[in-house]
Amino acid sequence: DVKVTQSSRYLVKRTGEKVFLECVQDMDHENMFWYRQDPGLGLRLIYFSYDVKMKEKGDIPEGYSVSREKKERFSLILESASTNQTSMYLCASSSPPGATEAFFGQGTRLTVV
Amino acid sequence: GQNIDQPTEMTATEGAIVQINCTYQTSGFNGLFWYQQHAGEAPTFLSYNVLDGLEEKGRFSSFLSRSKGYSYLLLKELQMKDSASYLCAVRVPRANSGGYQKVTFGTGTKLQVIP
């Protein structure tokens, strides 16, 4: 069974903290993604990576950074958490070039207080 | 920019048929996806269309018209477990990313199936 695993299901952090969200996939996929999902806004792409050490900004990268040191792991970093980053964060992976589906992790619900 | 529109909510009766529409205006097109997402869970893949026409997969079918920027997801013989959000997503080429093709999601349609 294919698997994308996110390190935490729920997180509560304080404003100003540095936050790490981890994602691991076991499918040897080249592409990995971080989305956030908010009511009424759908899934919005924060960052993606199409190879180890390669990253590109998505639609809403401000306040976030990413790291991909190994193919199977893609980390999302909130440099200084703010309350407007309270959201559901979803990691996904897919295989190029014409991937017909992406596989999602179970999501991390982050609350910044 | 990319624009994908779907109804926010729909209600349908168990055993019935429901059609969820999706319209899109995007800079380029290279495939349309439908995902199902139950509350509190990850989205799961339902269907993929890249050519015009109907793709059938069991109780679920998906239709695409590229000239009209239109797709629909058809769910037959509705079951209570079909209550979920249905996400329409469009893949577009991204010029300066090694050929990577970005996927943009709509806001989703929340379907409630009632007895």
Side-chain angles (χ1 to χ4, degrees), chain A residues 3-9 21-25 33-35 74 88-92 103-109, chain B residues 42:
Chain A
K3 222 168 200 179
V4 179
T5 303
Q6 295 182 226
S7 53
S8 303
R9 194 73 192 264
L21 303 183
E22 307 285 347
C23 175
V24 177
Q25 50 99 359
F33 313 86
W34 276 106
Y35 292 90
F74 192 34
M88 171 67 85
Y89 290 87
L90 288 161
C91 174
F103 296 88
F104 284 83
Q106 79 277 22
T108 296
R109 182 160 295 283

Side-chain angles (χ1 to χ4, degrees), chain A residues 9 31 33 35 37 40-45 48 50 56-59 88 90 94 97-107, chain B residues 2 30 33 35 37 39-45 47-48 85 87 91 94 96-108:
Chain A
R9 194 73 192 264
N31 296 330
F33 313 86
Y35 292 90
Q37 186 174 32
L41 296 177
L43 271 76
R44 293 180 291 166
L45 182 65
F48 68 94
Y50 52 90
E56 291 239 0
K57 294 179 180 179
D59 298 318
M88 171 67 85
L90 288 161
S94 70
T100 57
E101 66 181 291
F103 296 88
F104 284 83
Q106 79 277 22
Chain B
Q2 326 296 351
N30 197 11
F33 302 81
Y35 285 83
Q37 186 178 25
E41 297 183 11
T44 55
F45 172 78
S47 69
Y48 171 72
S85 289
L87 312 179
R91 182 162 64 193
R94 191 174 164 101
N96 57 349
S97 300
Y100 168 70
Q101 300 174 34
K102 179 185 170 187
V103 175
T104 298
F105 284 81
T107 55

Side-chain angles (χ1 to χ4, degrees), chain B:
Chain B
Q2 326 296 351
N3 192 42
I4 300 173
D5 286 317
Q6 349 177 195
T8 304
E9 294 182 346
M10 298 182 71
T11 301
T13 305
E14 190 176 15
I17 298 173
V18 71
Q19 178 175 310
I20 303 174
N21 296 324
C22 172
T23 58
Y24 62 90
Q25 294 109 30
T26 57
S27 52
F29 176 85
N30 197 11
L32 186 142
F33 302 81
W34 284 96
Y35 285 83
Q36 180 190 59
Q37 186 178 25
H38 285 101
E41 297 183 11
T44 55
F45 172 78
L46 286 178
S47 69
Y48 171 72
N49 295 68
V50 66
L51 299 176
D52 290 352
L54 189 68
E55 294 279 342
E56 296 188 79
K57 194 187 290 186
R59 293 190 299 115
F60 292 7
S61 303
S62 56
F63 171 83
L64 175 67
S65 169
R66 289 171 295 170
S67 62
K68 295 182 179 177
Y70 170 68
S71 172
Y72 68 72
L73 180 68
L74 195 71
L75 291 74
K76 304 175 189 174
E77 301 169 15
L78 278 173
Q79 302 175 9
M80 298 300 291
K81 67 178 183 179
D82 297 329
S83 293
S85 289
Y86 292 86
L87 312 179
C88 173
V90 175
R91 182 162 64 193
V92 300
R94 191 174 164 101
N96 57 349
S97 300
Y100 168 70
Q101 300 174 34
K102 179 185 170 187
V103 175
T104 298
F105 284 81
T107 55
T109 299
K110 187 175 181 180
L111 173 67
Q112 183 182 15
V113 180
I114 57 176

Side-chain angles (χ1 to χ4, degrees), chain A residues 1-18:
Chain A
D1 227 11
V2 296
K3 222 168 200 179
V4 179
T5 303
Q6 295 182 226
S7 53
S8 303
R9 194 73 192 264
Y10 299 95
L11 271 181
V12 180
K13 296 292 181 181
R14 294 194 180 278
T15 301
E17 276 193 78
K18 190 169 186 176

